[in-house]
Amino acid sequence: VSNLLNKSLLFKLVLNSQDGLVLSLLNEKKINLNKIEQVLEKAALLAEKNKKISEFDINPLFVNEKDAIVADARVLLED
């Protein structure tokens, strides 16, 4: 993972957010947490490689036991 974020920090950020509450409730169902981690890592790497990215929003992210699918993403670039 990038210098910006490490794996344990990625999950701490998610689990301490409002989305983390939903994620922990959904954990009763089978979801692939590794796929969520991969999406977060790739987003962090993309932001690290492109310094013009000032915001990165993924919503919604559909997750099941096999995949995590980004349905919509918004990237805001600085001038």
Side-chain angles (χ1 to χ4, degrees):
V1 147
S2 71
N3 292 332
L4 296 175
L5 298 171
N6 63 42
K7 288 183 181 186
S8 65
L9 180 58
L10 286 171
F11 271 114
K12 285 179 186 175
L13 290 171
V14 170
L15 294 176
N16 289 329
S17 69
Q18 288 179 350
D19 295 330
L21 175 60
V22 173
L23 182 59
S24 54
L25 292 172
L26 289 175
N27 207 17
E28 298 289 319
K29 297 180 181 181
K30 291 191 176 195
I31 59 174
N32 192 327
L33 294 175
N34 290 329
K35 291 293 185 176
I36 297 172
E37 181 180 9
Q38 287 175 5
V39 169
L40 294 174
E41 286 177 350
K42 288 178 182 180
L45 287 172
L46 180 64
E48 185 176 75
K49 287 181 180 181
N50 189 338
K51 301 298 183 192
K52 290 190 173 195
I53 294 176
S54 61
E55 291 183 37
F56 196 101
D57 183 37
I58 297 172
N59 189 12
L61 175 65
F62 295 107
V63 184
N64 61 29
E65 58 191 59
K66 293 182 182 179
D67 295 309
I69 299 169
V70 174
D72 189 25
R74 181 179 65 88
V75 178
L76 186 61
L77 302 175
E78 295 177 343
D79 287 332

